[in-house]
Amino acid sequence: MAAPAPMRIEPLGFPWQTADPFLFCVYHLDFYPAGNAELGPEASLRGRDLGQDFAGIDGWRMYHGQKVPGFPVHPHRGFETVTVVRKGLVDHADSLGAAGRYGGGDVQWLTAGAGIQHSEMFPLLQRIGANTLELFQIWLNLPKRNKMADPHFKMFWRDQIPVQRLHDGFGRSVVVTQYAGALEATPALAPPPDSWAAEPENEVAIWVLELEPHATWTLPEVRSGVNRRLYLYEGDTVTLNEQPLPVNHMAEVPEAPLTLTNGEGFSRLLLLQGRPIGEPVTQYGPFVMNTRAEIQQAFGDYQRTQFGGWPWDRPDPIHGTAPTRFARHANGEEEHPE
């Protein structure tokens, strides 16, 4: 029997390389200092390119924020954002009047659809000690039939998200956190109804895998034609079948079962998987459509309507100094997980 073809392995860039149905993935890890009275860093901002601070000076970035790190108001159309916050907090506000504060394991799944403006700010609530932020933001495409769906978001609070604690034959642990996609008999939470992930036959999965040193686990097979990639973002080396995947690298992995064998250190990997949508993609900045004409229409609609306007008194709303997590939706419904 012929040996399987080697997997394509590449170093991680910024953003991380993705495949249809995913458009984009970034991993943010920022070691912010103590916060000040405005919930920004209690540190000098001198020497930073404020508004475009991505250099990572002293281990943290302001991104597009001027006083508080994060991403002030900006528009989207034609796709979804899945924001997985492993550490730290994110303050959400949008053009529909919705708001939220989430983090420490929570996920926001936002369908931009026909168009929305939102802000994503990173308030530094700890006045003594560090404010570490760790998150993934993943852009998942929408098929043409759903690109103009009504915008809205769902919250996946950390206590609701399935976490499977597995063990190999030697008792070494493998933890799988399922943000999307079933693992054997355990389903993930339901994504928004217009999402490509809402149809089980599309086999969309977003998982974080955590492996103890030398732990072994087999990634189950999927149907032919499903794209899937593994990103080793923490650890040393994980062997995939017999091919090594070094840290800070991505592997394009096959549909067949795949044996992961961890190396000396504790490892974390992100899995992005899904059946491709297979439609033309035309992207310009925050708009992702199928044709150039639709992109031009998106710009025209945004200039005309501002996707509902901006009902906030600042471009980077912050939701107070209390660490309470919450979500307030455009219809007035509120969620309070604690």
Side-chain angles (χ1 to χ4, degrees), residues 47-253:
R48 293 179 180 269
D49 184 13
L50 291 181
Q52 293 285 342
D53 177 26
F54 287 79
I57 299 170
D58 297 329
W60 52 275
R61 306 158 183 83
M62 290 294 289
Y63 299 105
H64 297 310
Q66 299 283 342
K67 295 181 179 179
V68 177
F71 296 84
V73 57
H74 56 282
H76 291 306
R77 172 180 275 187
F79 63 99
E80 299 183 289
T81 63
V82 183
T83 307
V84 178
V85 186
R86 306 269 297 174
K87 298 177 183 176
L89 292 170
V90 172
D91 277 2
H92 166 89
D94 67 39
S95 54
L96 305 180
R101 169 168 284 174
Y102 62 99
D106 301 327
V107 174
Q108 184 199 66
W109 195 313
L110 183 146
T111 303
I116 195 170
Q117 294 191 76
H118 75 153
S119 63
E120 302 157 290
M121 305 308 299
F122 311 145
L124 308 182
L125 269 60
Q126 296 295 327
R127 300 293 296 273
I128 300 175
N131 285 276
T132 299
L133 177 80
E134 181 187 18
L135 68 79
F136 300 99
Q137 185 164 95
I138 300 156
W139 289 13
L140 176 61
N141 201 9
L142 285 167
K144 182 178 180 64
R145 64 179 182 271
N146 292 340
K147 282 192 175 293
M148 297 299 286
D150 290 339
H152 74 290
F153 68 86
K154 290 188 73 170
M155 294 304 309
F156 294 174
W157 303 110
R158 61 189 179 221
D159 293 338
Q160 303 169 340
I161 296 169
V163 178
Q164 297 206 48
R165 303 182 184 278
L166 313 171
H167 295 87
D168 66 13
F170 295 93
R172 294 173 290 223
S173 74
V174 177
V175 177
V176 182
T177 303
Q178 298 168 237
Y179 303 114
L183 175 56
E184 296 181 349
T186 302
L189 298 174
D194 295 300
S195 177
W196 187 247
E199 302 171 28
E201 62 270 21
N202 294 333
E203 298 196 58
V204 173
I206 301 172
W207 300 344
V208 166
L209 316 176
E210 301 175 85
L211 282 69
E212 280 191 339
H214 305 293
T216 297
W217 182 68
T218 299
L219 179 67
E221 67 179 337
V222 290
R223 285 180 293 179
S224 177
V226 171
N227 288 331
R228 56 181 179 174
R229 296 186 174 199
L230 279 170
Y231 305 82
L232 178 58
Y233 66 93
E234 183 178 329
D236 180 17
T237 298
V238 174
T239 301
L240 310 178
N241 289 344
E242 297 182 358
Q243 189 167 349
L245 173 65
V247 71
N248 295 323
H249 282 68
M250 175 279 298
E252 190 174 81
V253 302

Side-chain angles (χ1 to χ4, degrees), residues 306-323:
Q306 296 294 293
F307 294 158
W310 189 245
W312 306 90
D313 61 2
R314 54 188 281 184
D316 57 348
I318 300 298
H319 304 315
T321 59

